[in-house]
């Protein structure tokens, strides 16, 4: 028995030694695992540390300007005096919280060496509160030049001075000389647009737009532009599906053989009746038929229309970009054509034009005030091409303000939240925030207000009127503008003999029949979205 104890003691001592060594190893391992991340964090801090330098954004207050490469910081914030009406100041005024500071004082005064070069042409009578966000948004996504045919508010001296100060923006005023020049233009003396001549309101505007587009093509060629787009100032290009949210990248990927790119339009859906700045306040849109399955579109047509004459309040046939080339011509405000060939056209599966239509309650009266038609069902057919425009004009001309507001809420404002959610789940409605973020960022950075103030300070004190006088002059000049219109051009009768020449130019396409040639000569007007009758035709054609 005595011989057994020594071996037991040795075994116990050996087990204790192993346990202590195991605990030591674990302790060292835990220490190593603790020190390793701390060491890495310290190393990363050393790599990133650049000394005692404050974050630049902490120096950029909303009331003090700051320098940023490529910007002009010579204008003092103490000299800011807005020329525009109070409503414009509220919309374009600088925010006190800088959430998007890198746009401050950004004047975009750099040479455009990027490809392709894109220009936009527009005919507008809007004010700065609409035109400035529209221009700078499109500059952000890659548009280089703007050819603006201005009248009304846009043509007043104070507004024009601000617009002309923006690089690559060219203004063309509607004067008697311009109309005389356009009366001698080629398309005025052709037949494809003649069915719109000598009619008021929307027809008159359609003719003006086409004549202006014809002149813009020449300007685009002289400026070495590669693409030209016609847009209204209540429309924004939405380059979905492109790299870096860039229209330039989108068009650079288009094959060389494509002559025209069609952007289906999405229509704004306002959810309030007190919208002041649509670009910054509206994010809900109704998708175009071309971006929906036909079963989804027609299956939810009545719910989507909400008792209105059509799926869209206004047009549904989109807008297009054309490659600048020889023999290019407009084909109405929505398309382009070519005198020598039938353009090869593609329609985008993702990109769109966002149309902010009837987004403000005041749009009802402003449209009424621009047109002198009588508010009768027969008369409005001569003035407006689309059913909703006709109904809106009659309401604005005959109803009281309260009745107009009730009608606006019922037919335009999306107050039924359950319906909105239901149509969003089905993909008919969608929220698009990118334009809102960009324009709100520009506004908060003071781009618009600093531009207006810099133009004002550059004017001579002897010729500069006070802010109140400028406001009054802007309003009065818009109302007292002489009635220059395309109807006055109509004193020169179009020569109908050009039809034979145009048909001869189309003879290189053997597959076109005489009927097809005649059809191609007609300008494309603003067309409504497909209705239920179209669905019946589709179903019949399936069999």
């Amino acid at each position: 028995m005595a011989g057994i104890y020594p071996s037991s003691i040795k075994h116990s001592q050996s087990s204790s030694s192993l346990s202590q060594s195991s605990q030591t190893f674990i302790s060292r391992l835990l220490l190593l695992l603790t020190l390793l991340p701390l060491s890495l964090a310290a190393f990363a801090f050393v790599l990133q540390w650049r000394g005692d330098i404050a974050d630049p954004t902490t120096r950029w207050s909303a009331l003090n300007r700051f320098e940023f490469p490529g910007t002009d910081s010579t204008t003092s914030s103490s000299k800011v005096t807005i020329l525009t009406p109070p409503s414009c100041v509220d919309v374009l005024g600088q925010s006190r919280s800088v959430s998007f500071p890198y746009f401050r004082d950004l004047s975009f005064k750099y040479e455009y060496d990027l490809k392709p070069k894109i220009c936009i042409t527009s005919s507008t009578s809007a004010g700065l509160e609409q035109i400035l966000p529209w221009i700078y948004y499109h500059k952000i996504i890659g548009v280089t030049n703007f050819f603006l045919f201005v009248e009304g508010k846009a043509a007043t001296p104070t507004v024009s001075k601000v617009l002309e100060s923006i690089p690559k923006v060219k203004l063309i005023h509607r004067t008697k000389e311009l109309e005389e020049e356009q009366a001698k233009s080629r398309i005025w003396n052709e037949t494809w647009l003649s069915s719109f001549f000598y009619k008021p309101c929307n027809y008159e505007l359609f003719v003006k737009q086409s004549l202006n587009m014809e002149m813009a093509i020449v300007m685009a060629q002289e400026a070495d532009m590669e693409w030209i787009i016609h847009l209204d100032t209540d429309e924004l290009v939405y380059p979905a599906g492109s790299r870096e949210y860039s229209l330039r990248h989108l068009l650079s990927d288009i094959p060389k053989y494509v002559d025209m790119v069609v952007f289906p339009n999405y229509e704004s859906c306002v959810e309030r009746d007190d919208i002041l700045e649509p670009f910054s306040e509206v994010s809900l849109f109704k998708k175009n038929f071309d971006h929906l399955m036909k079963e989804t579109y027609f299956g939810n047509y009545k719910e989507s229309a909400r008792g209105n004459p059509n799926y869209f309040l206004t047009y549904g046939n989109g807008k297009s970009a054309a490659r600048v080339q020889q023999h290019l011509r407009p084909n109405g405000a929505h398309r382009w054509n070519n005198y020598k060939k039938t353009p090869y056209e593609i329609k985008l599966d993702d990109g769109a034009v966002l149309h902010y239509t009837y987004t403000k309650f005041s749009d009802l009266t402003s449209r009424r005030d621009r047109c002198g038609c009588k508010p009768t069902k027969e008369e409005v057919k001569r003035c407006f091409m689309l059913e909703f425009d006709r109904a809106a004009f009659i309401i604005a001309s005959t109803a009281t303000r309260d009745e107009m507001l009730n009608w606006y809420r019922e037919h335009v404002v999306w107050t039924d939240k359950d319906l909105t959610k239901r149509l969003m789940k089905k993909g008919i409605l969608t929220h698009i925030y990118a334009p809102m973020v960009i324009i709100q960022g520009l506004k908060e950075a003071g781009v618009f207000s600093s531009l207006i103030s810099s133009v004002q300070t550059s004017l001579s004190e002897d010729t500069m009127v006070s802010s109140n006088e400028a406001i009054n002059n802007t309003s009065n000049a818009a109302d007292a503008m002489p009635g220059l219109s395309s109807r006055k051009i109509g004193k020169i009768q179009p020569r109908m003999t050009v039809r034979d020449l145009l048909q001869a130019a189309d003879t290189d396409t053997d597959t076109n029949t005489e009927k097809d040639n005649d059809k191609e000569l007609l300008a494309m007007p603003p067309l409504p979205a497909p209705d239920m009758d179209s669905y019946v035709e589709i179903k019949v054609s399936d069999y």
Side-chain angles (χ1 to χ4, degrees):
M1 295 294 293
I4 296 176
Y5 289 107
S7 63
S8 299
I9 293 172
K10 290 181 180 179
H11 179 72
S12 176
Q13 291 176 347
S14 175
S15 298
S16 176
S17 176
L18 288 174
S19 176
Q20 290 178 356
S21 63
S22 175
Q23 290 177 357
T24 302
F25 174 76
I26 293 174
S27 300
R28 291 177 178 178
L29 180 62
L30 291 174
L31 179 64
L32 178 62
L33 293 176
T34 303
L35 292 177
L36 182 61
L38 292 175
S39 302
L40 291 175
F43 182 64
F45 174 78
V46 171
L47 290 177
Q48 295 183 19
W49 182 69
R50 296 172 181 165
D52 188 17
I53 300 177
D55 186 349
T57 59
T58 62
R59 297 184 288 116
W60 298 335
S61 69
L63 300 178
N64 297 321
R65 301 180 185 279
F66 61 85
E67 294 184 2
F68 186 75
T71 63
D72 181 11
S73 60
T74 59
T75 306
S76 174
S77 61
S78 61
K79 299 180 181 179
V80 174
T81 305
I82 304 301
L83 294 176
T84 50
S87 60
C88 185
V89 175
D90 295 338
V91 171
L92 299 180
Q94 179 177 316
S95 171
R96 292 186 178 273
S97 61
V98 183
S99 64
F100 200 180
Y102 299 100
F103 282 130
R104 181 183 298 280
D105 288 342
L106 192 59
S107 60
F108 294 86
K109 295 180 181 178
Y110 52 85
E111 290 298 323
Y112 296 95
D113 56 354
L114 303 176
K115 296 288 184 177
K117 291 185 176 181
I118 307 166
C119 67
I120 288 180
T121 180
S122 182
S123 303
T124 182
S125 60
L128 290 179
E129 72 280 356
Q130 181 171 325
I131 299 178
L132 286 184
W134 179 83
I135 289 177
Y136 277 90
Y137 168 82
H138 286 108
K139 277 179 172 285
I140 292 293
I141 66 172
V143 176
T144 55
N145 290 51
F146 297 81
F147 305 118
L148 304 183
F149 294 81
V150 296
E151 52 186 311
K153 288 184 180 180
T156 55
T158 51
V159 174
S160 295
K161 191 69 177 179
V162 174
L163 296 177
E164 289 169 346
S165 70
I166 305 174
K168 307 294 184 180
V169 174
K170 180 177 178 60
L171 264 59
I172 305 94
H173 292 259
R174 178 154 289 278
T175 61
K176 183 178 180 181
E177 291 74 21
L178 174 66
E179 294 196 339
E180 289 176 350
E181 181 180 351
Q182 290 184 337
K184 302 173 185 177
S185 68
R186 179 171 181 174
I187 65 174
W188 179 254
N189 294 290
E190 294 173 347
T191 58
W192 57 270
L193 192 62
S194 60
S195 61
F196 299 90
F197 292 166
Y198 314 114
K199 295 180 181 180
C201 300
N202 275 16
Y203 290 90
E204 178 182 341
L205 174 62
F206 190 77
V207 173
K208 282 183 184 179
Q209 290 173 328
S210 299
L211 293 169
N212 294 341
M213 290 166 69
E214 184 183 38
M215 295 186 67
I217 291 172
V218 177
M219 298 176 190
Q221 292 172 335
E222 292 175 349
D224 295 324
M225 295 290 107
E226 297 171 63
W227 290 91
I228 184 170
I229 307 172
H230 174 261
L231 285 181
D232 296 325
T233 51
D234 63 350
E235 298 170 330
L236 300 178
V237 176
Y238 175 54
S242 64
R243 292 169 288 148
E244 302 174 7
Y245 196 79
S246 168
L247 177 63
R248 182 175 57 83
H249 286 162
L250 190 152
L251 293 179
S252 66
D253 293 336
I254 301 298
K256 295 293 184 183
Y257 59 83
V258 174
D259 301 303
M260 186 167 63
V261 176
V262 176
F263 292 82
N265 62 293
Y266 288 11
E267 190 173 81
S268 61
C269 299
V270 296
E271 299 177 272
R272 308 193 324 264
D273 59 15
D274 59 349
I275 299 293
L276 294 177
E277 210 297 286
F279 294 151
S280 297
E281 298 182 58
V282 178
S283 65
L284 185 64
F285 293 88
K286 189 186 295 185
K287 288 186 179 180
N288 193 284
F289 167 79
D290 290 316
H291 286 178
L292 295 170
M293 298 292 291
K294 67 178 182 180
E295 292 80 7
T296 301
Y297 175 83
F298 289 113
N300 298 275
Y301 184 92
K302 290 184 178 180
E303 274 194 315
S304 303
R306 301 190 309 136
N308 290 317
N310 192 258
Y311 173 80
F312 278 155
L313 300 182
T314 54
Y315 76 89
N317 52 330
K319 291 293 181 73
S320 60
R323 198 182 295 276
V324 178
Q325 54 188 299
Q326 291 297 318
H327 311 296
L328 180 67
R329 73 162 174 86
N331 191 35
H334 296 259
R335 294 292 187 273
W336 305 85
N337 211 323
N338 194 293
Y339 283 113
K340 294 296 184 180
K341 66 176 182 178
T342 301
Y344 190 93
E345 170 188 310
I346 65 170
K347 189 171 292 184
L348 295 177
D349 293 330
D350 297 310
V353 163
L354 306 180
H355 186 200
Y356 295 77
T357 185
Y358 288 99
T359 47
K360 296 184 290 185
F361 173 64
S362 59
D363 288 345
L364 287 178
T365 53
S366 62
R367 290 169 186 256
R368 175 201 65 194
D369 296 340
R370 292 197 301 265
C371 185
C373 289
K374 296 179 181 179
T376 63
K377 291 185 177 180
E378 292 301 321
E379 180 70 10
V380 294
K381 290 182 180 179
R382 292 195 322 109
C383 302
F384 300 97
M385 304 180 195
L386 299 171
E387 283 292 331
F388 187 85
D389 287 332
R390 298 168 184 171
F393 180 80
I394 292 176
I395 288 295
S397 302
T398 59
T400 65
R401 188 185 185 282
D402 290 340
E403 291 172 340
M404 287 170 53
L405 185 58
N406 290 334
W407 185 90
Y408 182 78
R409 288 170 176 168
E410 180 182 353
H411 292 270
V412 180
V413 182
W414 287 70
T415 55
D416 189 339
K417 302 301 181 183
D418 292 334
L419 175 62
T420 301
K421 291 179 181 178
R422 190 159 60 249
L423 294 181
M424 285 187 66
K425 288 181 179 180
K426 295 179 179 180
I428 293 174
L429 299 183
T430 183
H431 277 288
I432 298 176
Y433 295 103
M436 176 187 292
V437 171
I438 291 174
I439 292 174
Q440 190 64 31
L442 289 166
K443 174 186 171 183
E444 291 179 351
V447 172
F448 307 133
S449 57
S450 62
L451 172 67
I452 296 172
S453 64
S454 65
V455 170
Q456 180 179 16
T457 54
S458 68
L459 297 176
S460 170
E461 292 182 359
D462 296 334
T463 59
M464 191 62 201
V465 295
S466 66
S467 296
N468 290 333
E469 290 173 338
I471 293 169
N472 294 332
N473 290 343
T474 300
S475 304
N476 296 337
D479 297 333
M481 201 73 178
L484 297 175
S485 69
S486 58
R487 283 176 285 178
K488 292 191 175 183
I489 304 178
K491 294 178 180 179
I492 301 178
Q493 296 295 331
R495 297 187 295 274
M496 299 302 181
T497 55
V498 183
R499 175 184 291 271
D500 297 332
L501 297 177
L502 294 177
Q503 290 178 344
D506 290 335
T507 54
D508 56 340
T509 306
D510 297 332
T511 58
N512 287 343
T513 63
E514 187 72 19
K515 182 177 180 180
D516 292 332
N517 284 333
D518 288 339
K519 184 177 180 180
E520 289 179 357
L521 290 175
L522 300 179
M524 176 184 286
L527 300 174
D531 55 16
M532 293 304 293
D533 292 337
S534 303
Y535 182 64
V536 174
E537 293 176 3
I538 292 173
K539 296 295 289 185
V540 171
S541 63
D542 291 341
Y543 293 97

